[in-house]
Amino acid sequence: MDLTLSPLAQELADEVDAFVREKIEPAEVEIQRFYADLKAKGENSFVVHPKIEELKAEARAAGLWNMFLPVGEGDEWAERFGTRGGKGFSNVDYAAIAEKTGRTALSPMIFNCNAPDTGNMEVLLKYGTREQQEEWLVPLLEGKIRSAFLMTEPAVASSDATNMDARAVIDGDEVVINGRKWWSSGAAHPDCKVFVFMGLSDPDADRYGRHSMVLVPADAPGVTIKRALPVMGQLDEPFGHCEVELKDVRVPLSNVLAGPGKAFAIAQGRLGPGRIHHCMRLIGLSEMALELACKRGTERVAFGKPLMLLGGNRERLAKARIELDMARLLVQQAAWKLDDGGTQAARVDVSAIKAIVPSIACDIIDFAIQIHGGGGMSDDFPLTAAYANARSLRLADGPDEVHLGMVAREELKSYLAAQGAGAAK
Ligand SMILES: Cc1cc2nc3c(=O)[nH]c(=O)nc-3n(C[C@H](O)[C@H](O)[C@H](O)COP(=O)(O)OP(=O)(O)OC[C@H]3O[C@@H](n4cnc5c(N)ncnc54)[C@H](O)[C@@H]3O)c2cc1C
């Protein structure tokens, strides 16, 4: 296993780190205050603060743009849309960059590397027709529009994707869409123009061939954003996580991605790299929390000693560092397997990181909150927002239990296969 970064990836990871610390972090204080003020006045807070667009333009000019594009199939687009070096990156390379973008909530968007747009762009890259790519992928790569991924439904347990009940019924040369989705991240963004919608097309087909993925323009007649759901009290502007109603929405049959019944095949391909990105961003977020814990714990004194030297705090700090480094290595291993053998070869490793990294991040951020005392629970530090983000990722893209189940199943399969081989001797 080779986890060495290419020189360009190392260079970009360092530049992204400096950009986040020197430009985005200071601006975020003003941007968050702006959204809090709008909310306090009871006004719509889903607007884009002008500083966000300024920073995006600066990042793009520096070539720190669309760095998630995969090597090979992403190369053409990386060259057309301004990624430094004009080529895509391997998962091992991009993981190091994603870690640096994870330090703050807005950073991934500033580099046009944020979920769910990256996953949706990958879907268009892999399964979109040339026309779909020109219509939707190009403006997404330019950062001019945003998108949302509409899978989860309030009415059914959506951790089992075969449960999805919203309809995408083929009617001649059209698809008729009906249903209600929720937790559609990004749907409240004023520039959100397209949804990747998953719906039931053929209830009688094989379990994994019943559903289709369809491109739905956000302004299609019959689409209504019902509300933005708060995440532990936060609306995550300018993205939002929405409940969306779709009533007799009609789109051309050509909007179906890769043809009817292919939703599962597409979801498999979409989520491998996406989970690596999520986990590496959480490692960056945890590094930020640990840095704040060290600062507060060494600068503030109680009972005659810096806080970090009291009670069991040194041990908690040491364990946080050890767990964080273990987590990074596990994600890098999954990234390498994805590069080396593709989605199928890496699927257990990808489930393993998705099952454990959000919990490690939660524990580390919780430690940082604790060492900040009451201040840790306020908005004076970015820790409660970080916690909400990490905690959400124990659910989003599949709850912990589903991924643990996958790891356990494969472990038992290997064990039983070995037993069977032994018995056969
Ligand atoms: C902030 C945030 C953003 C999100 N963004 C998106 C998005 O952009 N698009 C989208 O489509 N969805 C999104 N989601 C939704 C998320 O993917 C779902 O909430 C998740 O897949 C679980 O589905 P569910 O909520 O229906 O839970 P359910 O399926 O009802 O499951 C509830 C609980 O049951 C238990 N459980 C389920 N299966 C098993 C099992 N096999 N073994 C043991 N226990 C189990 C788990 O504890 C699980 O948490 C987001 C969620 C959050 C919180």
Side-chain angles (χ1 to χ4, degrees), residues 149 151-152 156-159 183 185 241 392 395-399 401-402:
F149 183 66
M151 185 175 115
T152 305
V156 297
S158 304
S159 43
W183 291 111
S185 298
H241 310 275
S392 296
L395 291 160
D397 272 0
E401 293 86 346
V402 170

Side-chain angles (χ1 to χ4, degrees), residues 21 33 40 43 66 76 86 102 119 121 124 135 139 186 204 221 239-240 243 254 258 281 304 307 322 334 338 340 375:
R21 286 170 191 269
R33 199 174 302 131
E43 291 176 20
N66 291 331
E76 174 203 339
M121 285 191 263
L124 283 162
E135 186 172 5
D204 299 325
F239 289 96
E243 183 167 342
S254 57
R281 283 193 292 260
L307 298 175
I322 293 164
L338 202 53
D340 192 52

